[in-house]
Each structure stands twice: as structure tokens, then as C-alpha cells.
Amino acid sequence: MEKILFDLFQKEINFIYLVKSTKTTLITLTAVFVVTLILVCSGIFFPYSSDAANPKPKRVFLQHINRRFHDLDGNLVKSDSGIWINGFDYNGISHITPYVPEINDTIRTPCEEWAPFCGLPWILPVHFMFRKNWYLPASEIFPASPIHFKVLTKELTPWNSVRLSFEISGPSHMSLYIRPREGSALSTWSLGDGTPVASVGGDYFVFYSHGLQATPWQFWIELTASEKHSDGIVSLAIAAHYFFGEDQKSPQLYALLERFPNWTFSSGWSCTYDLFVF
């Protein structure tokens, strides 16, 4: 085997020596590579296919969401509803716009900088991987099984940290987002081994799921703060994801999904995002 590889290597070397100008060869190969890269990235070649024998689907996630943002006193300061859209490849939604004109770059999603995970109900902590997503205004949804959020206790510990206990009931899949305010830190919690690990960006993410019959989810978090904060020490948000059942898709979401071309693989569900400050 070694002799065969050596012979092949010698033949390749001989071929290279036959070339009059290696510089010209390298320039030509580089030019071909650059031109090919430009053509691929420009979208001239259509990258998707619905051919069953050779499928090349475009993955798109759509979530019909309600968002509610509360202040330290529990007052509702902002709310909206819409269909949040993520395209899982570098083309974004450029190829979908001709089929669904209202989905275009004029409805790019702004990041709510002051809210955990940009104020959006990410199902996984992968927000840093996607530079573009879209938010199409839509009517409010009314889940038959809405989420219930309750603060059980607020207490100052003997070691001068603040412990907050919560109870949450809702659908079988929920995401919890935590962001300590400036000057405070999340020191421990009742989840996992008790040691919080921040995701990229500094927010904390917890995904919680349960069976059809489950007691309310209870947990606590503990925070330390260097001084008293008049605007609170932590922002906490909870997202409820309705993956199946009567709450999964709204009529508006169904109608939108029907308009997508057959070379897309679209997945959609309803969810809510509620933010609180403590």
C-alpha cells in the first residue's frame, strides 16, 4: 500500500513539473473558486427542492406569540402580538417573499435590549446564531390553557442575599429566562446542581418539560446585590410553548403556513412570553 501511495505521489509531482507556470495555475484556480463562491452566495442558483428522491427543503420556524412586559410594580408597560419567523439558513426569507409578500425585510425583528433573550420566546439558547428574524403583526391569541405565574415568597437570607420562590403552571414545554440587573448576580438556585451557568450574552436559560398530568413547577433563585436597587435586581421571563393540542396553531398561523411553497419545511406553534421585574 505504501509503495502504491508513493508511486501516485510521484506521478502528481511529475504533473506539477509539467506545468509551465505554477503562478498562472494558482491564479486561475483561485479565480474559479472566487467566481463560484460569488455565484452561490448571490442566489443565482436556486438551492431548494421538493423532489422526494433528492429533497432540499428550506427550514422555517413560525411562532404566533403574545408578549407582555411588566415593571417592578407589576404594571403592564408593553404588550403586542405577532408571528415571529426564523429562517434556518443564510438566505433568510428572500426566496419566500415572492410567495408571501408581507414577509420581507421591512418587518425585521428589533431586539428588546432590556429584556432577557431580546424579549423573544426562544425554544433553545441559540439566539446568538441568528442575525435576522422577522415579526409579522398578528391578532392576539387566547390559549385555552394559559400559563399561571405566582410569586410564593420573597425573603432576605441571613447571608444578605435575596431568595425568590416561584410557582408556574402551564403547557408541557416552557422556557425560563433570567437576567440579573446591573450590580446584582445570580448566586444559586434550586435547579440542577444548584450552580447557575449563563448562556452566551450573560442571560440564564432553563428549558422545562413535563407530562400531561403534572403538579405546578416550583423553584427558587437567589441573588446578591451590592446595594439597594430602586428598579429591581432581576428580570425574569417565562415562555409557554404550545406544541400540540387545540392551542398549537391559530387560524391565522394555519392560513400563513398554507401559503408557503412546497420546497419549505415549515414548523409552527403558538406561544406566550411574559416578563416580570423583582
Side-chain angles (χ1 to χ4, degrees):
M1 177 61 72
E2 290 180 358
K3 185 177 185 306
I4 294 174
L5 290 175
F6 180 75
D7 290 341
L8 289 172
F9 178 73
Q10 276 192 318
K11 290 179 180 178
E12 293 295 330
I13 293 295
N14 294 335
F15 174 75
I16 292 173
Y17 277 118
L18 288 174
V19 177
K20 291 183 179 180
S21 173
T22 56
K23 182 179 180 181
T24 302
T25 303
L26 290 174
I27 292 174
T28 301
L29 292 174
T30 302
V32 170
F33 172 78
V34 171
V35 170
T36 303
L37 183 64
I38 292 173
L39 289 174
V40 171
C41 294
S42 67
I44 292 176
F45 301 113
F46 190 73
Y48 310 112
S49 169
S50 59
D51 183 3
N54 186 27
K56 298 174 184 176
K58 176 178 178 60
R59 295 176 299 150
V60 186
F61 280 23
L62 299 93
Q63 295 166 244
H64 193 163
I65 65 177
N66 287 346
R67 300 194 299 175
R68 293 178 288 263
F69 303 88
H70 302 81
D71 62 14
L72 185 59
D73 297 320
N75 301 313
L76 183 66
V77 295
K78 179 181 178 180
S79 64
D80 60 32
S81 300
I83 297 178
W84 181 42
I85 303 159
N86 276 285
F88 279 59
D89 61 48
Y90 69 93
N91 283 321
I93 45 82
S94 58
H95 289 93
I96 292 175
T97 301
Y99 297 86
V100 191
E102 58 267 41
I103 300 179
N104 56 64
D105 279 335
T106 66
I107 59 166
R108 286 276 300 276
T109 313
C111 175
E112 303 287 354
E113 300 286 353
W114 51 277
F117 280 76
C118 283
L120 293 165
W122 290 94
I123 188 67
L124 293 171
V126 294
H127 56 295
F128 60 93
M129 297 174 61
F130 301 94
R131 294 177 299 163
K132 295 181 180 180
N133 39 80
W134 298 263
Y135 193 50
L136 180 66
S139 58
E140 185 177 359
I141 57 174
F142 299 94
S145 303
I147 196 168
H148 294 283
F149 180 85
K150 183 189 299 183
V151 181
L152 297 178
T153 60
K154 300 179 185 178
E155 56 182 318
L156 183 64
T157 68
W159 44 92
N160 291 325
S161 63
V162 178
R163 177 173 289 192
L164 301 168
S165 300
F166 306 97
E167 179 179 282
I168 302 175
S169 59
S172 59
H173 296 79
M174 294 181 281
S175 300
L176 174 69
Y177 320 96
I178 301 172
R179 175 183 292 181
R181 294 288 184 111
E182 187 175 356
S184 63
L186 180 62
S187 56
T188 185
W189 56 14
S190 61
L191 307 170
D193 64 359
T195 304
V197 178
S199 63
V200 175
D203 294 337
Y204 295 85
F205 176 92
V206 177
F207 185 70
Y208 176 77
S209 63
H210 62 75
L212 296 179
Q213 303 296 327
T215 57
W217 179 29
Q218 293 186 356
F219 64 94
W220 54 260
I221 61 174
E222 199 169 295
L223 300 110
T224 58
S226 56
E227 57 186 39
K228 189 174 182 179
H229 292 262
S230 59
D231 59 347
I233 61 173
V234 65
S235 295
L236 184 148
I238 183 75
H241 302 276
Y242 298 92
F243 284 144
F244 53 86
E246 59 180 330
D247 292 328
Q248 181 185 14
K249 292 186 179 75
S250 66
Q252 195 167 357
L253 181 56
Y254 264 121
L256 185 63
L257 289 169
E258 287 294 319
R259 297 169 59 192
F260 275 63
N262 60 3
W263 41 262
T264 59
F265 177 81
S266 53
S267 179
W269 67 93
S270 299
C271 58
T272 59
Y273 178 101
D274 290 275
L275 171 69
F276 304 91
V277 181
F278 302 97

